Amino acid sequence: MGPALCWKDTKDETSSPAPHPGDPLNAAPDSGHATEPGPDDGGDRRLDTGPARGSGAAGPVIAVDAMGGDHAPDEIVAGALAAQREHGVRVLLTGPLARLSQALTALDAADELQVVAAEDNLEMNEGALASLRRPRSSVAVACQLVRRGDAAAVVSAGSTGGIVATARLRLRPLPGVLRPGLAVVLPTRPGRTVLIDAGATADPKPEMLVQFGQLGVAYAQLTLGVPAPRVGLLTIGTEPGKGNKFTRRAHELLASDPPHGALPLSFAGNVEGGDLLAGELDVIVTDGFTGNVALKTLEGSIRFAAAELRAAVTGTRAARVGAFLQRRGLRELATRLDAESHGGAVLLGLGGTVVIAHGASTARAVTSACLLAADLARGQITEKITQRLNPGRSAARSGHFLRRPLRPAAGPRSPISFKVWPIHSRSSRSGCATPSSRRLARSTATPTR
């Protein structure tokens, strides 16, 4: 079950992130709405997604994992179809062709959405290791579409652990990012607060919390419109010395100048669990274990409070009359606390946008997740994160998918020479040949009988 709480704003930016290079899919697209794997793929064929690949003048393309979630694929397909029909968001579905064609036919939309074949999928009870066992799962194919530039963002309601592991493997971290962070927006007053990390990295290092702060600041600037977000650290007390060794060290790092030339953070100190909904800070940083527990606690508290409020306003005739008079305020409160209308959690710090919806998402929740992913893609969230961590460096030109070159980029080229190192078997009379370096020549020369 993925995180449910996430509140967003709709931006009007028209810019979009540039496609990221990477390994091509093993699926060769054919003409029509469905694509199947082809044996003679040269690695250069790409999907025909309209006037521009990934994103462009016609808007970003969202790759939707149609097999992720408790109600997949019917609810996922219905939500993706609504996002394209009602909001103009271009969608690619990933999953088994026969099953998705059946779902589209039931919705009278057989030719409206394009399907990319993925015959495998991650189950809701599978964790991070499933990403290695299922390299052709529907979420892996969706991530690969983003990596090769055919889509700008991924939406999935599958297992959070499986999605995070697959996205880390397929998209790779941005330059300077140690681990990605999962960000959610809490419905605080008067403003809103970004909580990061909500479950992507359960046991991080203190240095990673500083980067989580940078990720949360970039997300708050884009979605909340706050020019200089204030950052706090979630721990057991507001005093600087409160907490365990981990949080005390993280407090020191957050209060000092950021490393490697990153932009400074406006660190406001420690906050307690009771301050999560106080609205006093714009970004609250914590580790993934604590953040996920705090988020699930808030979800349960909100459900309990909503049930108690419903029982109170319908218990007596006078209460029902009062509720009728306050129906507008109650409707606004229900909208603020309705997770299905606000998308999902966002995995930040990778070479592509990944929105993780709640595992029990309905069609309306999937539509909201697609809208959130499109807004983040238009706002160039990956570029903003790169600029915060590496000022002056572009995410599109970073080349973080490529290996280190054999020669330096500048300066005279020197010929590369290889030294022959003969290796003999144990049964050889001459024994193993030893290298010329004393540092490596320890006991490799073992005489044989």
Side-chain angles (χ1 to χ4, degrees), residues 53 55 70 78 108 149 187 200 204 211 215 224 255 321 347 353 355 362 385 390 401 416 432-433:
R53 287 194 299 265
S55 57
D70 296 334
D108 195 19
Q211 291 191 349
L215 301 179
L224 307 184
V321 173
L347 188 63
T353 302
V355 176
T362 62
I385 292 173
N390 305 277
F401 292 126
I416 299 178
C432 295

Side-chain angles (χ1 to χ4, degrees), residues 303-315:
R303 286 195 298 267
F304 174 77
E308 291 296 309
L309 179 61
R310 187 180 299 107
V313 299
T314 58

Side-chain angles (χ1 to χ4, degrees), residues 31 60 71 85 90 120 174 187 200 210 222 243 253 285 295-296 333 348 386-387 393-394 398 407 411 432 442:
S31 58
H71 307 297
R85 281 181 175 178
R90 296 187 296 164
D120 204 354
L174 289 172
V210 180
L222 180 60
L253 295 175
V285 176
L295 181 64
K296 297 297 177 60
L333 176 62
L348 301 173
T386 302
Q387 288 297 322
R393 185 173 185 177
S394 173
S398 60
R407 297 185 179 92
C432 295
R442 296 176 180 173

Side-chain angles (χ1 to χ4, degrees), residues 89-177:
V89 177
R90 296 187 296 164
V91 173
L92 293 175
L93 295 176
T94 61
L97 297 178
R99 184 66 182 89
L100 297 187
S101 297
Q102 179 183 357
L104 288 170
T105 302
L107 297 172
D108 195 19
D111 298 324
E112 291 191 43
L113 295 182
Q114 192 171 2
V115 178
V116 181
E119 300 304 326
D120 204 354
N121 65 280
L122 300 181
E123 300 294 338
M124 292 300 294
N125 58 353
E126 291 183 306
L129 294 179
S131 61
L132 300 177
R133 295 193 300 265
R134 306 180 187 276
R136 290 290 303 170
S137 64
S138 53
V139 65
V141 172
C143 291
Q144 200 74 350
L145 288 172
V146 174
R147 179 170 178 173
R148 71 181 229 180
D150 289 320
V154 175
V155 170
S156 178
S159 168
T160 300
I163 297 172
V164 172
T166 302
R168 286 186 59 195
L169 184 64
R170 298 284 174 165
L171 298 179
R172 310 287 181 83
L174 289 172
V177 176

